[in-house]
Amino acid sequence: MLPSCFGSFSEGEMYFHQAKYEQAVSEFSKALFLNVTDVKSLHLRARSYEELEKYEEALEDYKTIIRFEPNYAQAYAGIGKLYWKQEDYKNAEKYLLLAANQDEEDFEIIYLLGRAMLMNKNYKSADEFLQLAKEMRPKDSKVYFYQGMARSQIGDILGAAGSFNMCLNFDPDNLPAKYNRGLIRLLIGYSEWAMEDFDDILKVNPNHIEALARRGYAKLEMDDRSGCKDLKEAAEKGSVYAQMHMEYCE
């Protein structure tokens, strides 16, 4: 019976990597009929269910894995990712933390845990876990971006600026990072640099009204009255920030 079991797993794995998820589920189910405790088949069947958006079935497989192997980090991570996909960030954080307790060196677990904490407004913890993720992959631009967002929320303005700088170093076209760096530069009085960031954004996306509004204010901070034109245009397009600062143009 064992060769048949392994054969079914091998077939299922092949289908999984070919993105033939229905066939994969069928093969893994055959393997599990012969060996109900085969966690590898359970894991890849759960992943196949995920790809088919059959989340309840995937969740059941992950829970079964945990019953057989309570220290199986990827099962906790799988549950956390399922909740993430359903925008249930509280439960996503809970299960990703359980996964991290079992495997603290898995980048995807630590990174996604940091992001879940960010979504749950646990900004200090998010910063700490994203720092761990950054140490694992020091050239991953997205880690710097989300760490910058976390640091902005805890008031570490210079740290946030550094994070956005590093993000843009590895991903120069990341407009959200450029926008957030511009906000920080404006906040700490680097108006000329802030204006350059907003100007770069508007060259790519002329309809970014908040970048237009902030560029206008940055210009006024530099005694450039053409900022009033930016503020007026942004205000007319619905920017509350621009509307609040139109008094500088009266």
Side-chain angles (χ1 to χ4, degrees), residues 63-125:
K63 287 182 175 179
T64 301
I65 293 170
I66 292 168
R67 285 201 297 273
F68 294 141
E69 290 194 23
N71 298 325
Y72 198 98
Q74 291 300 323
Y76 294 106
I79 295 174
K81 291 172 185 176
L82 284 175
Y83 282 121
W84 176 274
K85 288 178 180 178
Q86 297 172 79
E87 299 182 2
D88 182 348
Y89 301 114
K90 292 290 185 185
N91 274 315
E93 179 180 334
K94 172 184 173 182
Y95 279 95
L96 288 164
L97 187 56
L98 288 169
N101 286 336
Q102 300 300 328
D103 186 354
E104 59 187 21
E105 296 182 0
D106 185 298
F107 170 81
E108 291 297 336
I109 290 173
I110 300 300
Y111 165 69
L112 196 56
L113 174 57
R115 286 194 60 193
M117 289 173 165
L118 184 60
M119 296 299 293
N120 291 326
K121 301 182 179 180
N122 297 328
Y123 300 121
K124 189 173 186 302
S125 295

Side-chain angles (χ1 to χ4, degrees), residues 96-248:
L96 288 164
L97 187 56
L98 288 169
N101 286 336
Q102 300 300 328
D103 186 354
E104 59 187 21
E105 296 182 0
D106 185 298
F107 170 81
E108 291 297 336
I109 290 173
I110 300 300
Y111 165 69
L112 196 56
L113 174 57
R115 286 194 60 193
M117 289 173 165
L118 184 60
M119 296 299 293
N120 291 326
K121 301 182 179 180
N122 297 328
Y123 300 121
K124 189 173 186 302
S125 295
D127 180 32
E128 291 170 356
F129 276 95
L130 289 165
Q131 177 67 25
L132 292 174
K134 183 176 74 179
E135 290 167 6
M136 294 178 197
R137 292 192 188 174
K139 294 184 179 181
D140 194 314
S141 64
K142 63 182 181 290
V143 178
Y144 290 100
F145 175 76
Y146 289 111
Q147 188 175 38
M149 299 298 288
R151 288 176 168 179
S152 296
Q153 293 296 327
I154 60 178
D156 182 3
I157 301 303
L158 293 179
S163 292
F164 291 129
N165 278 335
M166 290 299 294
C167 173
L168 288 163
N169 184 46
F170 295 115
D171 182 12
D173 298 325
N174 188 318
L175 294 187
K178 190 161 288 190
Y179 177 72
N180 280 281
R181 185 178 69 177
L183 293 180
I184 291 172
R185 285 175 163 178
L186 193 58
L187 181 64
I188 61 181
Y190 292 171
S191 301
E192 184 174 358
W193 289 358
M195 187 192 73
E196 290 175 1
D197 278 341
F198 299 132
D199 203 36
D200 286 345
I201 292 166
L202 290 163
K203 287 175 184 174
V204 178
N205 180 9
N207 297 317
H208 197 308
I209 62 170
E210 294 306 328
L212 182 64
R214 267 75 176 181
R215 185 180 71 175
Y217 184 78
K219 286 180 177 179
L220 292 177
E221 287 286 287
M222 298 161 59
D223 295 323
D224 179 352
R225 298 302 293 176
S226 71
C228 288
K229 179 177 180 295
D230 287 348
L231 280 176
K232 183 181 179 190
E233 183 180 345
E236 289 173 350
K237 291 180 177 178
S239 169
V240 174
Y241 179 90
Q243 293 164 5
M244 290 173 60
H245 291 85
M246 280 303 296
E247 63 186 80
Y248 295 102

